[in-house]
Amino acid sequence: MLNSIPGWKVFSTGIGIAGLGIVAFFLWSWFLKAPDDLKPLEREAYEDALNRLAGRYEEEVRKRGQLRVVLMPVQDETSHGEKRERAFGRLNATPGLKVIKPPDPDLESRAITIFKGVIGNKEEPVEPAKVFDRAAEADEVLTLQAPVKAGADSGRCDLIAVRIVRDSEDRKKATVAEPWNIEGLSGAARVASTPAATGPGFWSNAWDVTWRVLVMLSALVVIAFAGLPVARLIFRLDSNLVNGVYLGVLTLGDIAVLLALCGFQFAWWIIALAVVVMLAGGFINLRVLNAMEENL
């Protein structure tokens, strides 16, 4: 009886898709979401230091070409490994840089011995080339020491990056490069260290936001109507599953436009906007598809 109501098939399928989306969200938050051991100001300071580290590697890539780096466990790591996970994500987002985990357990033990000798100033025999015995594809081995501190309104991370660098000409040779000492700040400390902005000012930034919002609103309507020929073919199939899949494809198209406008970045506010766009796009697409089905 319900299927005889115009538009009910699309609507009921939309409810099923929404339910699957909720299940997917919980699966992501329980199994796929990165650990969050650090406090917000500590995390912001650590990410600031990682951004500066990525900038150093961008310079290295420009000088030496594409690099493959083995990232060792981060010293003073958090209980769930948040520091290392965030380092993997940020460094792998750097063009020309590929960061991997140690391919061999022996590599990890040898590298840790060398790093302790460098950071701890211990007089131990250092043979950097042995680190690459079972990692022929690697160009560098990297370890991080990243203590973070946070107060009431600011945080700081004193990151030390120690690198064992393989000789580009003679791959059997390697050296321990000069450590990179990088400071990351957050909160009030970061604001105080940021130079005053110069440029067109508020109206330029306001227009950057406004035109993107206008394009996004237009896309919500255009995408819904652009698929009219496809919608006619789908409605002839009289299948709830196909109708639901098509509704999901249209909504994903809305989210793709949003990500394109944001430069395919994945900050928390972009994720929040994606949720809003998904709900708004799903509602608009559903209403448009219901109107199409009733008039066909």
Side-chain angles (χ1 to χ4, degrees):
M1 182 177 63
L2 291 176
N3 286 337
S4 62
I5 300 176
W8 173 257
K9 296 178 181 179
V10 177
F11 179 75
S12 60
T13 305
I15 294 177
I17 292 176
L20 291 175
I22 294 174
V23 172
F25 170 78
F26 282 111
L27 291 176
W28 171 78
S29 60
W30 290 339
F31 301 104
L32 301 177
K33 183 182 177 182
D36 55 354
D37 306 322
L38 297 174
K39 299 175 182 177
L41 287 174
E42 293 176 340
R43 183 178 301 110
E44 184 180 343
Y46 179 61
E47 289 178 343
D48 183 41
L50 288 179
N51 289 334
R52 298 174 189 270
L53 175 62
R56 297 280 188 97
Y57 268 113
E58 286 178 1
E59 296 178 3
E60 290 292 311
V61 170
R62 282 193 290 268
K63 294 177 183 177
R64 300 161 53 194
Q66 294 184 341
L67 298 175
R68 183 180 291 267
V69 177
V70 178
L71 178 61
M72 308 302 295
V74 180
Q75 299 187 40
D76 53 49
E77 178 62 281
T78 60
S79 56
H80 295 93
E82 179 178 1
K83 290 183 179 179
R84 195 182 191 191
E85 287 297 320
R86 292 191 178 275
F88 269 115
R90 179 61 187 89
L91 294 179
N92 273 320
T94 304
L97 185 65
K98 176 64 176 178
V99 181
I100 62 174
K101 293 184 178 180
D104 176 52
D106 292 339
L107 183 154
E108 185 169 328
S109 62
R110 290 192 299 269
I112 288 175
T113 301
I114 294 175
F115 290 137
K116 285 183 178 179
V118 174
I119 297 178
N121 296 320
K122 298 179 181 179
E123 296 182 0
E124 297 182 2
V126 177
E127 298 181 17
K130 288 188 176 181
V131 173
F132 299 98
D133 285 349
R134 298 186 182 180
E137 73 285 358
D139 299 297
E140 290 188 11
V141 174
L142 169 69
T143 193
L144 303 176
Q145 185 176 24
V148 289
K149 297 179 181 179
D153 61 353
S154 64
R156 175 171 176 166
C157 174
D158 295 311
L159 186 146
I160 301 175
V162 182
R163 303 150 52 229
I164 303 175
V165 182
R166 175 174 268 175
D167 193 309
S168 58
E169 297 181 358
D170 187 351
R171 302 287 286 179
K172 294 183 179 180
K173 296 181 180 180
T175 57
V176 180
E178 187 71 20
W180 287 339
N181 296 297
I182 301 173
E183 181 184 65
L185 301 174
S186 65
R190 186 174 182 180
V191 172
S193 66
T194 303
T198 58
F202 169 79
W203 293 111
S204 175
N205 294 331
W207 171 244
D208 288 341
V209 175
T210 302
W211 76 262
R212 287 178 170 83
V213 171
L214 293 176
V215 171
M216 190 67 250
L217 292 175
S218 301
L220 292 177
V221 178
V222 170
I223 290 177
F225 284 97
L228 178 59
V230 178
R232 288 175 175 172
L233 295 176
I234 288 176
F235 290 146
R236 291 173 184 173
L237 298 176
D238 195 23
S239 170
N240 288 345
L241 177 60
V242 176
N243 292 344
V245 171
Y246 182 63
L247 175 62
V249 169
L250 292 178
T251 305
L252 289 177
D254 297 330
I255 297 176
V257 173
L258 170 67
L259 294 178
L261 291 173
C262 297
F264 291 97
Q265 302 176 21
F266 292 94
W268 67 267
W269 61 272
I270 295 178
I271 297 176
L273 283 177
V275 173
V276 174
V277 169
M278 180 179 67
L279 296 176
F283 176 77
I284 293 174
N285 293 330
L286 181 61
R287 294 298 299 271
V288 171
L289 291 177
N290 282 341
M292 289 180 181
E293 187 180 28
E294 291 173 358
N295 294 320
L296 289 179

